[in-house]
Amino acid sequence: MTNLILRHGITVVTVLAFAFFGWNAQGFLSVPNLASVLVNNVALLAIAAFAMTLVVRTGGIDLSIGTAIDMAGLAFVAALRVNLGVTIAVLAGLAAAAATGGFNALLITRLKISPFLATLGTLFIGHSLQQLLADGGNPIYVTAASLPPAFQFLGHGLILGVHLRIWLVVILALAMALLLSRSSFGRRLTASGMQVNVAWYSGLPVDRDIALVYVLAGVICGIAGVLLTAGVSVYVPFAGNAFLLNAIGATFIGTTLSRSHVANVQGTLLGVILISVAANGLLLIGWNFYWQQLATGMVIFLALAFTFGGRRLAGGTP
Amino acid sequence: MSRPETALAPDEDAYLSLSGLTKRFGGVQALAGAKLLVRKGEIHGLVGQNGAGKSTMIKILAGLVQADAGQIHIGGRDLADARPRDVEAAGIHFIHQERMLVPDFTVAEALFLGHEVRLGPFLARRRMQASAQALMQRYFGRVLPGNRLIAELSTGEQQIVQIVRALLQEPQVLVLDEPTAALVRAEIDHLFEALNRLRAGGMTVVYISHYLSEIEALCDRVTVLRNGQTVATVDPRHTSSREIASLMVARDLNEMFPARVASKGRPVLSARALGDGRNFQDVTFTLHAGEVLGLTGLQGSGAKELLRSLFGLDRITSGEVSIEDRPFRARSPREAAAQGVAFVPEDRRHQGAILEMSIAANMTLANLARFSWRGLLRPRLEREVATRMISELAIKAEGPDAVVASLSGGNQQKVVLAKWLTRAAPLYILDEPTLGVDVAAKIEIYELVQRLARDGAAILVLSNDLDELVGITHRILVMYRGRTASSIPAATTSPAALLDVILTGQSEIAHVVH
């Protein structure tokens, strides 16, 4: 029983956060506010964090998820501006993000550079590339002439009264959960993440799988990049990097939910909600914006301390 | 066999004496009253199987490890509770197996690191150079330029630097731990010449080696350790290396080994003139269905590398291999497994099993295609097969969902074996299959090996446990310095005779059969 509560330390902290803000922040629990949190804070961060979860599951890390998001936005806008149509533009965005992931895959599996350094390099290269392509880093607006209804739908569309972004988060979450815990591919990734030598000695195609994961992570970021750009009708250079630290935070908060501390979809989703709710709640209480990251840091410490500290108390291995 | 327990070592003329040394590491008794008595001006060999206690003894002497009990004296001075610095001050210097030199230093810097000669506030570079060159010239008949980088030197030259570095401190006793493990023939000859000159100059040397031929050529006396105890101190001029080998192995074999399969089937693995261009060459052998072939050799003999190359872990550069008459070529374990090779690695925790994963997930890892349908896992089939394996192999576990970390070493090893059993491979390669496994699990693993052989699998076992090799294999392939020294029918040999072949590379009875 104690163990169950401890393992779900992050769930407890999330519930406490809801209770605290519900009590103290005017309007926090109102439907419009929660809906806005879901659409504006949770959705895109969740998608970016899913990409991170996939990579962390293999024992790696991807510091270039923001770059993939930005490259998708840039390619998406560029295609729209030359009137290629929304469908082609979306595909161009996803392809650009996939290419970013493919570049990581090349560095990591062929050149055997550690994921941290490889994706850090990609982050830097992506930064320069955006400055070069976007005229020193200026926003690129989607002009009025190129705004067909399909574009509006990507940014603000509703299906059965629910925002498109929410649908995509739900679909991605289900697909990821299936992939990670029910598929042969997911088992292989988990094995590589836990003990890559054993995976190799068991005859698993380790490099191929890991390369695929970085490309897949790129594509998932591409979805976030297209949605982000369509939502504000403008490509803002480096906008994607805002998601990086929160996605890492959410993913590692989420690992506490798993008995063997692997990154998992449910945990990541809870981590995303916790971080988003904390940001929104503090804003409503009237705390200065500058306190937000401090609060996120505290939430991470709290969730980790609760889980790992508690486990030590319960006599389990830390 | 007579025990040549020596009478020629009265304690009073020992210059360096270690006696009654006892040391326990957790559940392992590393030393149980071992002694080592070294006379002034002699080269004294120290031999024993892996785990006999040699390195523990040397670490205690160096002050790196504290003995639980025992006395250490040098020239009448008590060194029982000495720290490394005190030991060095007493004149005992060590040349360790691992080269303890900084690769980016020059020869001169490495030689005087920590012992710089000074003139007032300045380093006396010239004087340091001169004394180092003089020592090199005197003992090694050559000079290494002081400005060369350590990384540019050959292993043998690095060894010279290490020895000269020790000599600069004017030691009384020099301890060399496996000094020739990485040296080529000519370098070994140089080293021996230098050691002989040092002895002529009155130096006392303790020489630890696996190679009995070296002990024979170099040492005045040899102390043999077994199971943490000193078995004997002998004079190698009067005791043959075969007798020394027999002192090193325990001969009280109980009924550990199940009956071997009698029949031998078609050839499964045949290797012709195999080489990897570095560690082994010209290896030829055939392994049949139902046969258990042992493989052994010292570290650096090429046995390990040969085994790894047969699973695609290392490259084969010359010769041919075929498995069940199909040419075999693998650049990765994946390719090797696809061609019918199952491999149980030596390092269970890092190569064999994923400790945090369940037993079922580990058992299916090498054969996921069978346990999935259109990319999705089939958890029921997985648990069903795992449950069956658990009972067939008598794995003591709560069930298929228990994590492997919760099992004992022997049961973990059975899980690693089970991982490959679902594939029904024609060839099993086992690398030290019973390392760190308790006796009960050992016997069960031996039975499993015999069962696989009975079912028609061909099995290649690399082991340094000679009792095990003699007990469970049909034939034993001994590697020595990169070549197959001998192929010995297990029924006609003994652990002691086998060790002799391993150490010298020669078998007395010439039954070299391919």
Side-chain angles (χ1 to χ4, degrees):
Chain A
M1 186 60 201
T2 347
N3 268 319
L4 201 68
I5 294 176
L6 290 175
R7 179 132 69 86
H8 291 280
I10 171 200
T11 319
V12 174
V13 172
T14 308
V15 170
L16 287 178
F18 267 92
F20 176 79
F21 290 123
W23 192 262
N24 291 295
Q26 190 102 53
F28 173 77
L29 287 178
S30 71
V31 173
N33 181 57
L34 290 182
S36 149
V37 171
L38 277 182
V39 172
N40 297 317
N41 300 53
V42 170
L44 296 183
L45 176 58
I47 297 176
F50 287 162
M52 186 64 76
T53 301
L54 200 56
V55 170
V56 171
R57 183 84 159 203
T58 65
I61 191 146
D62 190 349
L63 302 182
S64 67
I65 59 163
T67 309
I69 291 173
D70 289 333
M71 295 320 266
L74 181 57
F76 179 57
V77 169
L80 284 175
R81 280 173 72 98
V82 293
N83 293 318
L84 286 175
V86 175
T87 312
I88 300 284
V90 169
L91 291 177
L94 296 183
T100 312
F103 185 64
N104 287 331
L106 205 69
L107 296 176
I108 292 162
T109 60
R110 293 280 153 178
L111 301 183
K112 303 289 175 197
I113 300 174
S114 79
F116 185 92
L117 293 177
T119 58
L120 182 65
T122 305
L123 172 65
F124 281 124
I125 294 171
H127 204 90
S128 270
L129 213 57
Q130 290 179 65
Q131 282 175 325
L132 292 170
L133 294 175
D135 205 10
N138 286 315
I140 303 177
Y141 292 90
V142 182
T143 44
S146 59
L147 286 181
F151 181 87
Q152 292 291 346
F153 179 73
L154 279 177
H156 309 283
L158 303 177
I159 300 172
L160 302 174
V162 176
H163 202 285
L164 172 71
R165 286 181 184 179
I166 306 301
W167 282 108
L168 284 173
V169 169
V170 171
I171 292 168
L172 274 175
L174 291 176
M176 286 269 301
L178 192 72
L179 181 89
L180 288 181
S181 53
R182 294 266 179 263
S183 77
S184 163
F185 181 59
R187 174 69 62 76
R188 300 203 300 267
L189 299 185
T190 311
S192 296
M194 282 178 166
Q195 190 55 268
V196 70
N197 277 330
V198 177
W200 173 246
Y201 275 81
S202 300
L204 300 185
V206 175
D207 280 350
R208 197 185 74 194
D209 286 347
I210 286 180
L212 193 54
V213 160
Y214 281 91
V215 174
L216 215 54
V219 172
I220 294 172
C221 289
I223 297 173
V226 167
L227 293 179
L228 173 69
T229 310
V232 292
S233 305
V234 58
Y235 153 75
V236 183
F238 327 127
N241 277 337
F243 294 98
L244 174 62
L245 296 180
N246 280 339
I248 294 177
T251 303
F252 282 93
I253 287 176
T255 58
T256 62
L257 205 61
S258 143
R259 197 181 312 183
S260 43
H261 310 317
V262 294
N264 63 95
V265 180
Q266 301 92 310
T268 299
L269 210 49
L270 262 177
V272 168
I273 290 172
L274 186 54
I275 288 175
S276 305
V277 160
N280 174 257
L282 290 176
L283 201 70
L284 290 182
I285 288 179
W287 274 25
N288 193 313
F289 171 78
Y290 304 132
W291 288 92
Q292 273 192 24
Q293 302 219 357
L294 181 110
T296 309
M298 296 309 288
V299 164
I300 291 177
F301 289 148
L302 201 63
L304 295 180
F306 202 106
T307 308
F308 292 99
R311 263 177 220 182
R312 218 162 288 141
L313 282 181
T317 45
Chain B
M1 190 175 295
S2 69
R3 285 273 174 94
E5 181 83 45
T6 181
L8 51 75
D11 292 9
E12 58 266 25
D13 61 354
Y15 173 62
L16 171 66
S17 84
L18 293 80
S19 59
L21 282 188
T22 303
K23 178 70 194 177
R24 214 182 162 79
F25 293 108
V28 181
Q29 187 80 44
L31 288 177
K35 67 173 180 185
L36 175 66
L37 304 169
V38 182
R39 293 179 192 148
K40 188 150 185 67
E42 74 170 349
I43 300 183
H44 194 109
L46 182 61
V47 299
Q49 279 189 286
N50 284 335
K54 289 173 305 201
S55 50
T56 308
M57 187 181 243
I58 293 313
K59 280 181 188 148
I60 290 172
L61 176 60
L64 297 168
V65 168
Q66 197 74 43
D68 297 340
Q71 292 91 44
I72 305 174
H73 292 277
I74 176 162
R77 198 165 145 193
D78 187 3
L79 275 181
D81 297 311
R83 288 161 303 158
R85 197 159 268 279
D86 307 329
V87 175
E88 205 164 286
I92 307 177
H93 285 256
F94 296 82
I95 313 294
H96 288 285
Q97 211 167 340
E98 307 85 44
R99 313 263 166 276
M100 302 217 173
L101 295 171
V102 184
D104 295 330
F105 276 19
T106 64
V107 168
E109 286 168 336
L111 282 173
F112 290 94
L113 180 65
H115 302 282
E116 289 84 358
V117 180
R118 286 168 197 281
L119 272 178
F122 303 106
L123 291 177
R125 284 185 195 282
R126 262 172 203 286
R127 196 187 292 179
M128 287 197 280
Q129 280 289 346
S131 53
Q133 306 296 18
L135 278 171
M136 277 190 220
Q137 189 63 51
R138 181 154 142 227
Y139 290 112
F140 295 94
R142 59 191 292 200
V143 165
L144 297 172
N147 56 7
R148 278 179 71 191
L149 289 181
I150 295 299
E152 298 167 357
L153 302 182
S154 74
T155 328
E157 288 171 330
Q158 291 185 19
Q159 192 122 42
I160 292 176
V161 173
Q162 272 202 310
I163 294 173
V164 172
R165 184 175 141 74
L167 292 180
L168 284 165
Q169 310 308 310
E170 296 173 355
Q172 302 298 312
V173 179
L174 209 53
V175 181
L176 295 99
D177 188 1
E178 300 278 355
T180 61
L183 300 190
V184 299
R185 191 68 246 169
E187 291 175 328
I188 295 173
D189 292 340
H190 283 305
L191 177 67
F192 283 13
E193 266 173 53
L195 291 177
N196 279 320
R197 280 191 206 130
L198 283 166
R199 170 170 51 192
M203 179 76 71
T204 307
V205 177
V206 177
Y207 189 90
I208 302 151
S209 180
H210 271 312
Y211 296 100
L212 288 185
S213 55
E214 293 180 356
I215 298 285
E216 232 172 351
L218 193 65
C219 297
D220 302 300
R221 295 192 305 154
V222 191
T223 291
V224 182
L225 288 183
R226 188 175 74 214
N227 295 334
Q229 289 175 318
T230 301
V231 188
T233 297
V234 298
D235 182 338
R237 278 162 302 191
H238 301 131
T239 312
S240 73
S241 58
R242 191 187 167 86
E243 282 170 297
I244 295 175
S246 76
L247 287 169
M248 288 163 62
V249 289
R251 270 156 298 134
D252 47 338
L253 295 185
N254 32 27
E255 297 299 306
M256 278 184 70
F257 305 106
R260 276 169 279 219
V261 183
S263 66
K264 198 161 88 169
R266 70 207 185 300
V268 171
L269 169 69
S270 75
R272 209 148 302 287
L274 281 194
D276 71 346
R278 245 201 347 257
N279 302 296
F280 60 90
Q281 52 190 310
D282 205 20
V283 175
T284 299
F285 67 95
T286 306
L287 173 55
H288 301 84
E291 185 182 18
V292 183
L293 176 65
L295 180 65
T296 190
L298 297 171
Q299 195 144 49
S301 66
K304 191 84 169 180
E305 291 80 5
L306 171 64
L307 203 75
R308 288 174 56 85
S309 72
L310 291 173
F311 193 54
L313 292 160
D314 292 332
R315 289 299 94 79
I316 292 171
T317 57
S318 59
E320 286 161 30
V321 193
S322 64
I323 291 177
E324 296 202 303
D325 297 328
R326 279 189 297 274
F328 169 87
R329 219 181 97 85
R331 286 164 302 155
S332 68
R334 182 172 184 72
E335 291 180 3
Q339 292 168 78
V341 186
F343 188 89
V344 174
E346 174 185 352
D347 188 345
R348 190 162 56 237
R349 296 167 153 273
H350 301 107
Q351 300 166 345
I354 298 180
L355 299 185
E356 304 95 317
M357 268 192 169
S358 71
I359 294 176
N362 268 285
M363 283 182 177
T364 55
L365 206 56
N367 200 7
L368 278 172
R370 188 186 143 194
F371 295 94
S372 49
W373 181 78
R374 300 205 171 180
L376 288 184
L377 293 169
R378 301 169 66 188
R380 269 179 51 198
L381 178 66
E382 201 173 28
R383 298 188 77 241
E384 196 183 295
V385 170
T387 309
R388 208 181 63 223
M389 289 281 183
I390 288 172
S391 76
E392 268 183 35
L393 304 186
I395 296 171
K396 285 167 206 74
E398 283 176 34
D401 299 326
V403 291
V404 173
S406 68
L407 307 180
S408 72
N411 285 301
Q412 290 180 2
Q413 187 69 339
K414 286 192 249 173
V415 172
V416 180
L417 275 158
K419 175 164 81 175
W420 293 102
L421 296 182
T422 66
R423 283 189 87 121
L427 171 63
Y428 285 81
I429 297 178
L430 314 179
D431 188 358
E432 297 284 2
T434 62
L435 200 69
V437 158
D438 61 89
V439 178
K442 252 185 193 178
I443 295 170
E444 285 169 344
I445 290 171
Y446 295 153
E447 276 164 1
L448 179 61
V449 167
Q450 299 310 336
R451 206 176 83 198
L452 283 170
R454 209 173 309 129
D455 293 346
I459 297 156
L460 180 61
V461 184
L462 177 108
S463 178
N464 285 315
D465 182 336
L466 306 184
D467 298 332
E468 171 174 302
L469 281 179
V470 171
I472 68 168
T473 67
H474 292 98
R475 215 155 38 100
I476 301 154
L477 209 59
V478 180
M479 303 277 294
Y480 187 82
R481 303 209 181 218
R483 293 173 181 276
T484 40
S486 184
S487 167
I488 307 166
T492 69
T493 191
S494 67
L498 186 58
L499 181 63
D500 191 41
V501 182
I502 291 172
L503 297 174
T504 61
Q506 284 142 27
S507 57
E508 286 183 8
I509 321 146
H511 35 53
V512 181
V513 193
H514 283 319

